[in-house]
Amino acid sequence: MSTQDSTPERITLLQGTLDLLILRTLQLGAQHGQGVARAIQRASRETLLIDHGSLYPALQRLESKGWIRAKWGISTNNRKARFYELTALGRRQLVHEESEWRKLVRVVALILGPEPVGES
Amino acid sequence: MSWWGRRSDADFAEEIRAHLALEADALARERVVESDASATARRAFGNLTAAEERFYESQRSRWIERIRQDLIGAARQLRRSPGFTVTATLTLALGIGLSTSVFTVANAVLIRRLPVGNQKRLVLLWGESRDGKSSKLPLTLDIVHAMQRQFRSLESAAFFAFRGAVPAPIRFGDQVFPIQLGMVSGNYFQVLGSRAQIGRALRPDDDVEGAAPVMVLSHRAWKRDFGGDSAIVGKSMSMIYTNRSYRIVGVMPLGLEYPGQTDVWVPLVAYGAAGGFLDALTGEINALARLRPNATAADARAELTALLAESDSHALRRGVRGAVQSLPEAVLGNLQPAILLVSLIAALLLFITCVNVANLLFVRALSRTSELALRSALGANRGRLVSQLLMESCLLSIAGGFAGIGLASIVIRVFVIAAPGSAPRIDEIHLDGATIIAAVVITSIAMVVSGLAPALFASRSFAHGSPPSSSRLTTNRHLRKLAEGLVIAQIALAAITLVTAGLVTRSLMKLERLDLAFDPHDLFAAALAMSPDRLSDAQSQRVALALVVSNIRALPGVRAVTPVAAMPFVGDGGGVDDRMSIAGQSSEDRTGNPIENLEVASPEYFAMLRIPVLRGRVFSAADRKGSPPVIVISSSVGAHFWPGIDPIGRQLRLPPNEFTVVGVVPDTRYRDAQIARPAVYFPVEQWPDVPTTLLVRTDDSRVASAPAIRRAVASANNGITLVDASAVEELLAAPRAQPRFNAIVFALFAFTSIVLAAIGLFAIVATMVRQRIPEFGVRMALGATSKRIGTGVMRRGLFLAVVGTALGIVGAITAGRLVSALLFDVKAFDGGTLLVVASMMLGIAAVASWIPARLGMRVNPVTALRREN
């Protein structure tokens, strides 16, 4: 996009995608909310900005579904933070959602056809 | 599980703070330059500020917003179910309104104040025999002087004549009034802390031998005999007994008539000395004292007992101990049990109201299970559900409270208008703010609690998981069991009040049909006054009285006329009382003798009053002045002096005379409608005074009436005037006023509690029917008759009623002991009353369940089954 400034382009997440990203992020180990947000941002090369308004409800949703669990702990730089980690159920769910997602992407790609050249 | 439900706001805020701190640390680590930092932060957090604002703002104002929403929601819910709202509001209004109004009226009538300073500290002191058999024994002046000197428990002590108020005619101008004379010490009114309304009260310097003769009037006598004329103060009246003139120095305030029904108070010492009977007066006196602030009646009693134990008198020392009674109790009666009872019943009524409304709320929670489940499924958490249900309770209690205040003021107004004029201080009754606030507060607390329970219950049951189908939820057993338990409690409480009302009413009926031991029907009592100018000696008085008697006897419809010593039902101090004794008793032994009512009787007296003669004979024309003095005694007098022995022919003495017992009659309730008293009858011819009261027996009270008697007395024109003529049955109304009032109060209470119980039962049966309509549909589709379904519903309602009534009757038997003080000749366990109450309760229960049962019978199976899906 030509109008972009120093801020990387943002895209809107599809409904349900954030859950998958959180689960994926937590697969690497327990993390607090801010860590999850940072990790997703970094992994998406600052394309995805996760705001609190969606991050925390999503964490809460996952927690209530039993896919992740949370407990208060101390961060690497000695701050109190609420750490989330995957449950066994969450791991299975991650596998399931990941395969669903890949399936969806493949199907959507098939319909859209090959990616045009020239657009970053 | 919803977002707010599991974690606290604080926990969330903590997490956000942690997030921000971690983010700041991260930024610092990345060593972004200052100017860049904010941009980076904005970028990184995107809508952080908005999120933060949204979060904190909502956190702060959320509860206000929530309350507003819940209030609107609650109002909407209440509007949507007008049946419930109206029933609950009416129940509250009825409970609050009736309990407060009845309590207010009862309190105003029962709790009265004497026009004295701090009446709680005023006590009367006298002696009682150590075996407790004889009470209210007189003290002597020496004892009272010792009390004044020594007693640490007393601030001050006064005394008055033991006999209380005695009848004494006084002359004012050319009129003679038969007044009740109270002889009191000079400091009497100082000890009472009572100031004169007009002029001054008696003073200690009035009460010395040779002091200027003065008297003060009671407010009642001032109004009755002198038309409330203030100019009366300063004028003089002559006492016919002492033949001395007394100056009226003051009028005492309304409500003060102690001792007895005093019309005129004179200083005891000065009066006794002038009349030459001072020693007789001071030998038998009672003490009135004011307790010190830190002393109790028990302290005074102990001091008096100790003082009596050191007495010079052997009999006093051995046989008499101190007795203390509070003055308000002596004047107004012991009201504690009655007040306690009325308060208790008012509280019970409020409690029933609370139970009822709680029940209605429960029932409503039951029928709203699907709504609650739906709301919970849509994301309302438990707190939210509870909050709205509470809000509904609050709205209801506000509405009910206002309606209750309205109802209470109406009931009180109606009561004041409808009350008989004789009801004491009826005009002072007004709605007591504190009472009604207390009632509203109690009910509101109950509402909140009773609203909370079903709210918690409902939310716990339905806030979990997915919304179950409505029909399965509506059969929630716990809720129904609880609601049914409440209805049972309510029916039980209603049964208790009904039993109490029944007992009080029965005791009133007994009192009205009381065996007085004489026949009050078609009987008139006439009080006369004799002019001392025209009738100066006993002989001329007797002649004049004989003329009046024959004039009255000549009236059409009059069968007999007899002179008597006292008007009927005058109680203490209204007649002549004394202690008779037998030979050989010392003056101290005599203190153990009963105090008898001394009556005069003509030969036809007993036949005319239809008093049966148990033994011996009544008087004859031969028992005249100069013949051997004879008496007729009542049975308890004989039983006291000659237990197990025939008293006929034995002697009783009233110093200096001795009298031979010639006949025995039963104790009558002539002096006091409630107590049959020992009495001694003297032949009218042998009685030293000329009686000034007549009893007139008529064939028909409509023919010979009070005005006719008045005319007959006036036509004699011989110095005798009629003071009062009334039908004896009318006089009976006064002693029955209090029991009648009690009956009215309890009937009101019982009525309210029955209405409340019926509403409660109706509500629960109706709800049960509504919930089981699908089931009824199925059963009808499968061939059940509507009659069978109706019977099933009725059976449930009646089962609750039977259990409730049974429990209530058990409770009533226990509570009966409390009311026994108010009962007259009715035992707390009264089979007849219990039977009537039980059948009434079941009848009402049958109606309350029959109406909803019909609803169940009219179920259309097709509609019902469709509703199920």
Side-chain angles (χ1 to χ4, degrees):
Chain A
M1 234 181 237
S2 54
T3 53
Q4 78 182 94
D5 55 13
S6 60
T7 314
E9 181 188 14
R10 290 184 196 170
I11 62 168
T12 315
L13 281 173
L14 277 169
Q15 187 73 44
T17 320
L18 181 58
D19 292 3
L20 174 61
L21 297 182
I22 292 170
L23 292 176
R24 180 68 182 84
T25 311
L26 291 178
Q27 199 181 22
L28 305 171
Q31 188 55 277
H32 45 69
Q34 188 260 353
V36 171
R38 275 251 154 177
I40 293 173
Q41 273 168 237
R42 212 168 286 141
S44 69
R45 300 197 193 104
E46 310 291 324
T47 307
L48 292 174
L49 287 185
I50 309 300
D51 80 75
H52 310 81
S54 31
L55 174 67
Y56 284 97
L59 284 170
Q60 195 63 37
R61 198 160 55 236
L62 294 176
E63 194 182 346
S64 74
K65 281 178 179 162
W67 294 345
I68 60 174
R69 57 172 164 256
K71 59 170 178 258
W72 284 95
I74 301 296
S75 77
T76 45
N77 53 338
N78 232 7
R79 286 196 185 272
K80 201 180 160 207
R82 202 161 186 258
F83 282 81
Y84 296 88
E85 60 181 347
L86 279 184
T87 62
L89 201 63
R91 268 175 228 291
R92 271 207 300 283
Q93 185 64 27
L94 176 58
V95 173
H96 173 73
E97 290 216 359
E98 209 178 317
S99 72
E100 286 289 301
W101 177 259
R102 292 195 192 285
K103 218 185 285 175
L104 181 68
V105 169
R106 254 198 326 274
V107 169
V108 172
L110 276 176
I111 294 166
L112 294 180
E115 198 172 337
V117 189
E119 300 254 343
S120 78
Chain B
M1 208 18 137
S2 62
W3 170 243
W4 305 113
R6 184 172 310 167
R7 286 177 63 194
S8 69
D9 297 346
D11 193 61
F12 180 74
E14 181 78 39
E15 188 171 11
I16 292 296
R17 269 198 297 279
H19 184 110
L20 293 175
L22 287 164
E23 192 65 22
D25 290 348
L27 287 175
R29 263 203 312 278
E30 286 160 18
R31 295 176 199 283
V32 196
V33 288
E34 188 61 28
S35 63
D36 251 9
S38 61
T40 315
R42 261 205 311 279
R43 189 167 64 239
F45 286 85
N47 48 6
L48 169 70
T49 324
E52 214 179 340
E53 244 172 37
R54 199 165 60 228
F55 183 74
Y56 283 107
E57 212 177 358
S58 68
Q59 190 187 29
R60 214 172 287 134
S61 60
R62 197 179 54 221
W63 66 274
I64 298 176
E65 177 58 20
R66 259 206 209 174
I67 284 178
R68 204 181 65 85
Q69 283 178 6
D70 289 344
L71 209 58
I72 293 168
R76 202 176 290 147
Q77 286 295 341
L78 290 177
R79 224 183 8 250
R80 203 171 290 160
S81 45
F84 163 79
T85 309
V86 168
T87 312
T89 312
L90 276 185
T91 306
L92 280 174
L94 214 60
I96 295 177
L98 284 184
S99 58
T100 49
S101 55
V102 173
F103 183 74
T104 304
V105 170
N107 248 2
V109 176
L110 295 176
I111 306 175
R112 285 178 289 152
R113 308 226 164 277
L114 298 172
V116 297
N118 195 0
Q119 65 178 18
K120 279 188 207 154
R121 309 216 70 82
L122 287 171
V123 290
L124 298 168
L125 297 102
W126 45 60
E128 67 181 13
S129 64
R130 283 185 184 271
D131 57 14
K133 278 187 185 155
S134 301
S135 60
K136 303 197 177 179
L137 303 177
L139 305 173
T140 64
L141 191 56
D142 291 339
I143 292 175
V144 176
H145 282 320
M147 274 163 53
Q148 287 168 331
R149 279 194 313 269
Q150 305 167 7
F151 281 20
R152 284 203 207 101
S153 59
L154 302 181
E155 201 168 276
S156 55
F159 55 89
F160 56 95
F162 170 65
R163 283 178 218 299
V166 294
I170 53 166
R171 184 158 46 115
F172 178 67
D174 55 355
Q175 282 177 293
V176 172
F177 304 98
I179 55 103
Q180 297 288 322
L181 183 70
M183 291 163 279
V184 300
S185 63
N187 66 343
Y188 184 74
F189 294 104
Q190 288 177 355
V191 173
L192 280 177
S194 194
R195 291 222 189 108
Q197 184 181 329
I198 305 167
R200 64 168 178 90
L202 297 178
R203 290 191 303 234
D205 56 16
D206 294 325
D207 196 24
V208 290
E209 286 183 42
V214 293
M215 57 166 61
V216 292
L217 299 178
S218 77
H219 190 278
R220 196 178 56 166
W222 176 60
K223 278 279 184 201
R224 184 191 60 206
D225 297 334
F226 306 103
D229 179 11
S230 310
I232 195 80
V233 174
K235 292 188 176 148
S236 292
M237 292 197 288
S238 49
M239 301 291 313
I240 287 168
Y241 287 159
T242 57
N243 203 19
R244 278 170 67 109
S245 181
Y246 287 77
R247 194 162 58 87
I248 300 168
V249 294
V251 177
M252 298 311 291
L254 183 64
L256 185 62
E257 275 126 30
Y258 197 81
Q261 301 287 310
T262 296
D263 295 317
V264 170
W265 288 275
V266 291
L268 185 145
V269 173
Y271 179 80
F277 38 80
L278 181 59
D279 289 345
L281 279 180
T282 53
E284 292 196 325
I285 57 175
N286 275 345
L288 166 83
R290 183 171 286 282
L291 293 172
R292 278 191 204 282
N294 52 357
T296 65
D299 297 339
R301 185 186 305 126
E303 282 189 298
L304 181 57
T305 301
L307 181 70
L308 288 170
E310 296 163 11
S311 163
D312 301 334
S313 150
H314 178 72
L316 280 183
R317 202 161 56 230
R318 280 206 37 212
V320 182
R321 63 182 177 205
V324 176
Q325 187 182 19
S326 91
L327 179 72
E329 190 184 312
V331 177
L332 308 171
N334 184 5
L335 300 169
Q336 292 301 335
I339 290 169
L340 182 74
L341 189 76
V342 170
S343 314
L344 211 70
I345 289 194
L348 210 63
L349 207 57
L350 264 187
F351 180 63
I352 295 178
T353 307
C354 296
V355 167
N356 212 337
V357 177
N359 216 348
L360 284 171
L361 289 170
F362 266 106
V363 162
R364 183 169 156 78
L366 260 178
S367 62
R368 284 174 71 187
T369 45
S370 52
E371 176 212 326
L372 295 176
L374 184 67
R375 289 187 54 203
S376 141
L378 287 177
N381 61 51
R382 203 162 116 207
R384 209 53 199 277
L385 293 181
V386 170
S387 154
Q388 184 177 335
L389 289 174
L390 274 186
M391 216 49 86
E392 287 177 25
S393 301
C394 288
L395 283 182
L396 279 179
S397 62
I398 290 167
F402 275 110
I405 292 171
L407 183 67
S409 57
I410 291 170
V411 168
I412 289 174
R413 202 158 302 156
V414 168
F415 196 95
V416 169
I417 292 167
S422 61
R425 302 199 164 199
I426 199 82
D427 48 325
E428 288 179 18
I429 295 175
H430 61 275
L431 195 52
D432 182 356
T435 309
I436 202 141
I437 286 171
V440 171
V441 166
I442 290 168
T443 326
S444 301
I445 291 171
M447 284 288 290
V448 168
V449 172
S450 57
L452 199 62
L456 288 175
F457 227 121
S459 60
R460 190 178 309 135
S461 313
F462 314 122
H464 291 296
S466 55
S469 84
S470 64
S471 60
R472 222 171 301 148
L473 261 178
T474 45
T475 51
N476 183 306
R477 294 189 84 87
H478 293 296
L479 270 189
R480 210 181 61 203
K481 281 270 177 298
L482 196 51
E484 286 182 352
L486 287 177
V487 161
I488 289 176
Q490 206 172 318
I491 293 171
L493 291 176
I496 292 175
T497 34
L498 197 56
V499 168
T500 311
L503 290 176
V504 172
T505 308
R506 271 199 65 144
S507 101
L508 175 69
M509 278 158 57
K510 282 251 171 117
L511 204 57
E512 307 230 304
R513 278 190 320 216
L514 196 63
D515 183 15
L516 298 169
F518 73 94
D519 184 1
H521 299 288
D522 300 331
L523 195 63
F524 282 87
L528 307 173
M530 299 197 175
S531 158
D533 298 332
R534 293 175 64 179
L535 306 167
S536 51
D537 61 297
Q539 189 49 42
S540 63
Q541 288 176 4
R542 276 180 204 281
V543 170
L545 184 69
L547 177 62
V548 167
V549 166
S550 72
N551 269 6
I552 295 174
R553 188 170 287 156
L555 287 172
V558 170
R559 215 185 292 164
V561 183
T562 188
V564 291
M567 291 286 278
F569 318 123
V570 286
D572 289 310
V576 186
D577 296 345
D578 213 326
R579 277 205 182 89
M580 305 278 289
S581 55
I582 48 177
Q585 281 187 309
S586 68
S587 69
E588 286 155 8
D589 291 339
R590 291 208 310 265
T591 57
N593 293 344
I595 295 174
E596 296 102 3
N597 294 153
L598 306 190
E599 310 282 9
V600 301
S602 61
E604 64 265 22
Y605 176 92
F606 297 99
M608 184 185 141
L609 286 180
R610 304 192 180 116
I611 298 173
V613 181
L614 301 178
R615 301 193 73 83
R617 63 168 178 96
V618 295
F619 304 130
S620 71
D623 300 312
R624 65 170 76 88
K625 204 175 176 101
S627 66
V630 291
I631 49 174
V632 169
I633 60 173
S634 74
S635 46
S636 68
V637 179
H640 174 81
F641 289 110
W642 305 284
I645 305 170
D646 186 3
I648 302 294
R650 298 184 183 268
Q651 255 100 42
L652 274 183
R653 54 170 58 190
L654 190 60
N657 300 317
E658 269 205 344
F659 302 85
T660 307
V661 176
V662 295
V664 181
V665 294
D667 291 348
T668 70
R669 296 170 200 269
Y670 183 82
R671 286 289 190 89
D672 185 328
Q674 304 212 14
I675 308 162
R677 296 202 181 180
V680 176
Y681 300 85
F682 298 79
V684 61
E685 298 290 324
Q686 293 180 354
W687 186 251
D689 300 321
V690 180
T692 54
T693 306
L694 297 177
L695 288 181
V696 181
R697 169 73 73 193
T698 64
D699 287 328
D700 186 342
S701 56
R702 280 163 300 173
V703 179
S705 58
I709 294 172
R710 184 174 296 276
R711 279 194 300 275
V713 174
S715 71
N717 188 23
N718 59 0
I720 294 184
T721 50
L722 184 73
V723 177
D724 179 35
S726 349
V728 172
E729 287 191 293
E730 277 172 32
L731 296 175
L732 259 177
R736 287 173 184 169
Q738 188 67 50
R740 193 168 287 151
F741 176 79
N742 290 346
I744 292 171
V745 168
F746 284 101
L748 247 175
F749 274 142
F751 168 75
T752 314
S753 61
I754 286 177
V755 169
L756 293 176
I759 289 176
L761 188 63
F762 173 81
I764 197 163
V765 176
T767 311
M768 182 184 81
V769 168
R770 213 167 48 229
Q771 285 166 354
R772 289 175 63 186
I773 278 178
E775 178 207 323
F776 292 160
V778 173
R779 285 172 55 190
M780 278 183 159
L782 292 177
T785 60
S786 63
K787 191 179 159 196
R788 192 167 167 161
I789 289 194
T791 316
V793 173
M794 288 275 297
R795 196 179 293 154
R796 191 70 204 159
L798 283 180
F799 169 73
L800 298 179
V802 167
V803 175
T805 307
L807 286 176
I809 282 177
V810 171
I813 292 167
T814 324
R817 279 184 215 118
L818 204 67
V819 282
S820 59
L822 289 185
L823 299 183
F824 175 81
D825 203 23
V826 176
K827 287 204 186 82
F829 181 89
D830 185 82
T833 307
L834 295 181
L835 200 70
V836 169
V837 167
S839 43
M840 250 180 102
M841 290 305 296
L842 295 183
I844 289 164
V847 174
S849 18
W850 182 67
I851 297 168
R854 270 171 47 120
L855 206 78
M857 286 160 66
R858 290 216 207 94
V859 166
N860 179 342
V862 179
T863 331
L865 288 173
R866 200 171 283 149
R867 231 179 77 157
E868 167 74 332
N869 298 323

